[in-house]
Amino acid sequence: MILELDCGNSFIKWRVLESNARVVLGGGVVDSDLALLAELKLLSGLALKYCRLVSVRTPEETGLLISLLKESFDVSVVSASPAREMAGVRNGYDEFEKLGLDRWLALLGGFHLAGGACLVLDFGTAVTADFVAADGWHLGGFICPGMPLMRNQLRTHTRKIRYGDLAAERALERLDPGRTTVEAVERGCLLMLRGFVQTQLELARGHWGEGFTVFLTGGDAGLVSEMVPEARVVPDLVFVGLAMACPLA
């Protein structure tokens, strides 16, 4: 069995595959290393042979997780690393090693699935946009706060903005002007997010006309999917790139 991990700053996304890497046996999202170990141990018949991971954490944090995995499951672990060029895609950053590894793998996966020019939009704690031309040249991208960051900044810096997750979810059922603080904040943040997406689409059309594929990934992709009906929603796009960057024998 193969364990795949996407270790972000806030959460760890995980899934376990059959050895042929075609069947997903389980997966989820956790907020700590210990929570990950606990969920893995609940899987019936778990017999891990390999683990591949991508991490944007510090080397120390990543090293600790790798040690825990080896101790708990006696598993071989390989970690994705930066590259100037891979699988026909050339990293567009001036200092290629400074492009976030999760972004790098997502755009690798997007280009592989599209077989041509693509715009990769990832909706997590932050929102990222990356442009890859038909010849595999990564043109660069953009980063802006995602819904969690926008929401938390307003909660942190404005004393009277206090509400729970359920209220936030209900507020997004419509997009009329808000008549409560939670409605005004949630709907305002969503409209900012959608404005960002619209701008990325306009930029992509300026480069390639209509000859490109749009990919939506990340936990909040559903918030914008209806405005980009032609997009391909691929929740595990980072894992597509991870398999390319870390092939297993």
Side-chain angles (χ1 to χ4, degrees):
M1 295 179 184
I2 302 168
L3 172 63
E4 295 185 326
L5 301 175
D6 177 5
C7 305
N9 292 306
S10 303
F11 299 100
I12 301 172
K13 186 174 183 179
W14 66 274
R15 70 178 187 179
V16 173
L17 308 176
E18 284 279 17
S19 296
N20 61 15
R22 294 178 182 173
V23 179
V24 179
L25 302 175
V29 179
V30 294
D31 60 3
S32 70
D33 295 355
L34 294 180
L36 171 65
L37 297 182
E39 290 210 6
L40 288 172
K41 289 176 180 178
L42 291 176
L43 282 181
S44 177
L46 183 68
L48 295 177
K49 185 176 182 180
Y50 300 108
C51 171
R52 54 189 172 204
L53 65 83
V54 54
S55 176
V56 297
R57 298 174 164 194
T58 67
E60 293 76 19
E61 291 171 323
T62 303
L64 176 59
L65 174 57
I66 290 174
S67 295
L68 288 172
L69 291 169
K70 289 181 176 179
E71 291 170 7
S72 300
F73 303 105
D74 190 27
V75 64
S76 173
V77 182
V78 59
S79 182
S81 58
R84 169 63 73 188
E85 190 169 355
M86 181 178 292
V89 180
R90 185 169 177 80
N91 192 314
Y93 262 33
D94 294 334
E95 298 177 80
F96 73 90
E97 67 278 2
K98 292 189 176 180
L99 175 65
L101 273 173
D102 50 349
R103 286 175 63 194
W104 172 238
L105 296 184
L107 66 91
L108 275 180
F111 183 76
H112 171 72
L113 294 178
C118 61
L119 167 62
V120 178
L121 300 170
D122 192 341
F123 300 87
T125 303
V127 175
T128 61
D130 282 287
F131 298 72
V132 187
D135 62 359
W137 187 272
H138 172 225
L139 305 183
F142 299 92
I143 304 173
C144 77
M147 286 291 285
L149 282 178
M150 288 192 282
R151 175 187 298 130
N152 290 337
Q153 282 297 303
L154 285 168
R155 284 175 172 173
T156 300
H157 296 287
T158 308
R159 291 184 179 180
K160 292 186 178 181
I161 296 181
R162 297 289 185 273
Y163 55 84
D165 292 339
L166 180 58
E169 184 177 338
R170 288 176 176 171
L172 292 178
E173 292 174 357
R174 302 168 61 184
L175 279 181
D176 298 331
R179 299 182 64 180
T180 64
T181 297
V182 61
E183 290 177 352
V185 169
E186 291 296 314
R187 295 173 187 178
C189 289
L190 178 55
L191 289 175
M192 289 187 70
L193 190 63
R194 291 188 173 187
F196 176 84
V197 171
Q198 188 60 48
T199 299
Q200 306 313 304
L201 293 171
E202 292 170 359
L203 289 170
R205 292 187 184 108
H207 284 291
W208 308 308
E210 297 298 330
F212 65 98
T213 303
V214 182
F215 289 95
L216 305 181
T217 190
D220 282 335
L223 295 176
V224 302
S225 58
E226 67 180 43
M227 68 176 293
V228 198
E230 72 276 15
R232 296 177 62 177
V233 180
V234 185
D236 295 325
L237 191 57
V238 168
F239 287 146
V240 175
L242 179 62
M244 297 167 66
C246 301
L248 301 173

